[in-house]
Amino acid sequence: MKKKIITYTSIVLGIFVLLTTYLSMVGIETEKFNNQIQNLVKQKNDKFDVSLKKIKLTLDPLNFKVNVKTIDAKITFKNKPIELEYIQTQISLNSLIKNQLVASQIEISTKPILLKNFVSFIRSINNRPELFILERFIKKGYLIADLKFNIDEFGVFKNDYKVNGLLKEGEISVFKKNKIEKINFIFNIEENNFNFKDISFDTNNINFLSDRLDINKDKKNYLLEGSLRNKKSVLNDQILQVIKLKYPQIDLINTEFESKNDFTFNINDKFKVKNLSINSSIFINNSQLKRNNLIDKNIIEINEFIDLKDHEIKASYANKKLSIEGKGQVKIQNKFELTNYKVNNNGSNLNLVSNIELSELDIKNQNLIKEYLPKTKDTLNFKDHKIKINYQDNILTFEGFGQIKFEKELNQIKYLLSTKDQKYNFKTDLNVNDTPIKLDFINYKKNKNLNSQLKITGNYNKKFGLDFKKISLLSKNNSLIVNDLKIDRNNKLVKVDKIVLDYFDKDDLKNKFIINRTKNNNYELNGSFLNADPIITSLLESKHDQQLNIFKENIKLSLNVSDVYLDNNNVIKNLKGKLQIIDNKVNQADISALFDNNKNISFSINNKDDEKITTLFSSKAKPFVKRYKFIKGFEDSDQGYLDFYSSKKNGILKSKLTIDNFKVKEIPALAKILSLASLQGIADLLTGEGIRFTDFEMNFTNKGKLMTIDELYAIGPAISILIEGYIEEDNLISLKGTLVPATTINRSIASIPLIGDLLVGKKVGEGVFGVSFKVKGPPKKLETTVNPIKTLTPRFITRTLEKIKKN
């Protein structure tokens, strides 16, 4: 009996072992559970539709579970098919016996499926925020994936899922204007970690490669860490915007570059990127920088596009701060030069420091420079310059030193120029050796070969004008210094605090004086020497009572100068006086001085009741009269005085000029009259030479361009002249008068044939006392008529006798 029991037991055990071995190794296929699986899926998500083939069951005796596997299954979700290579899971024997499928782990291996469909499927199983974000970004692509899901005893999916796979030809759009396409990578996804490797993708025609990208969840944020590199590619505006390198001040185009980058950043469930950090090594093969508007093309002949090549750059971006350090070559005009630079950015502010060595640079010459350095060329050539460029707080600064060529030789120069909001600050230190400097307003001219040092500090604003803090020009025996000079945008003088001048002028005369602003617009001129010759010449040669048109405000000026040159041979002493300039006109003046022999000179201007009265008296006429071209050959410089008086009211100027007790050898006879300048000039009246005059008196009226000569009378040892008429400037001359030998008044001489020869080229008959003449016509086509006269008018005789008695 025992043997039978043992035998039956052995048989049963053997059958059990064989059956267990068979079920474990071979298993069985059945469709019995298909409906249950489909119903189970429907219970989880009624939008799922599962198509299954036979299910293969294999026994896991050690764990009291059954391995369930099916191949070529298909899941349809919202009409989106997902074809699977297999589905595999484990079911407890207890649930199998009870005819209820309760799986603890599910493994799925897919065939190539659309990426977007796959993410939608995963979301239906576990609707995580990151999956929602990922689905929004995806445009196309396909993948092959292996998935593992764990299920608790209640049939609920746990969060410890794992997804591994391969993505091909993906495309996503993270930013509005930037697509990432041709995406390929291997991935490994777990609950809070996304790991990618062997990544490649294209964006904006740039191919990028990455060894890794890790995404880790931190509460509601996701931290992305990875590396990125690219081979030679062309950079564009979209990429610059994405990596926060696009600024209106720096406009890069046609940039061919290579780079290696490590980055980290956070992205939240609202798709906002935070805490972006990038460390990059960049090599720019070629690029072009568009010229900044702060660099005025009318000053620097700079190319529209500045060429860059072979630049090695280290860049980092973190906490909204950008830092760039690099070096390479730059071509501003015709040649590539070495440069290095550092760029720092905080928010929208950009700071840049760059050093560049320029072997040559051409700058357009400016009218202001040519006015004072008249021999300079249209283009100034800079040689061997070291320049530092600094851009900070919207202020662009150029600082450098080197050499500059004005004509043939090179001159040393240091300079600083900064710009902000159309305001230019400047500072320069220049050696001027090979070119003349010309300052007409002070009659100064530096000889070509005289070494000089020019320093200028100030600023320029298009709204307010020029503000010179200091100007100094120093050379051997010459010193010109100006402090705090302001000129408005209309080139009018606003103020100057101090001018110190000590120099020899173009006439080789010494000038040494100081102008100080005492308060507001009150000034003092004190000095030892002043050459007034250019000032007097300018006043006498001007045609009208012109405004100075150089002062913005009304000013008062007091004068105190020891020696004042009227010309090279005439000096006055102890010049003292005051001037008041209102609306750019001398409104009040009271000036006096002495000649060596205590003869005096005085000048005054007074305004009262809308009448302007001007007087000038000089004990010596020669320093003033000899300036007129029609008067030549003074004899005795100590003889003769000049007395001038004028009254101006309602635009009408009435004047009287008297020059007495002087002698000249040559004065032209019979042509046209010069208008006087400050004295309203004496017009050319006579042509020819050889006639001598000792006295001159002229009464005349000016109104606009018309000068009316009420009476012009001149007397000499040989002849006397009486003239009246008018001169319309640049239009018409109309004069008439009488010319006779002075001695014919007492009939001591009957005729003087020589006078007729001079006037009409022929002798006049005996008994003729003189001639009458008329001059009329445009200045260049004057017509002259001359007629002998035998009887003189009482007026002429009276005026001549007055002069004879006076002499």
Side-chain angles (χ1 to χ4, degrees), residues 339-357:
T339 181
N340 61 72
Y341 43 87
K342 291 182 179 180
V343 178
N344 290 294
N345 159 261
N346 186 0
S348 60
N349 295 324
L350 179 68
N351 300 328
L352 178 147
V353 177
S354 177
N355 296 288
I356 183 170
E357 296 183 7

Side-chain angles (χ1 to χ4, degrees), residues 431-448:
N431 292 331
V432 184
N433 302 329
D434 71 326
T435 190
I437 298 176
K438 186 180 179 182
L439 304 174
D440 288 335
F441 55 91
I442 60 170
N443 197 37
Y444 174 80
K445 183 177 181 181
K446 180 193 84 68
N447 293 330
K448 180 176 181 179

Side-chain angles (χ1 to χ4, degrees), residues 11 37 51 195 264 379 402 428 497 544 589 595 672 707:
I11 292 171
I37 293 174
S51 175
N195 303 113
T264 63
T379 300
T428 185
D497 280 358
H544 305 291
F595 289 99
K672 56 182 179 177
M707 181 173 74

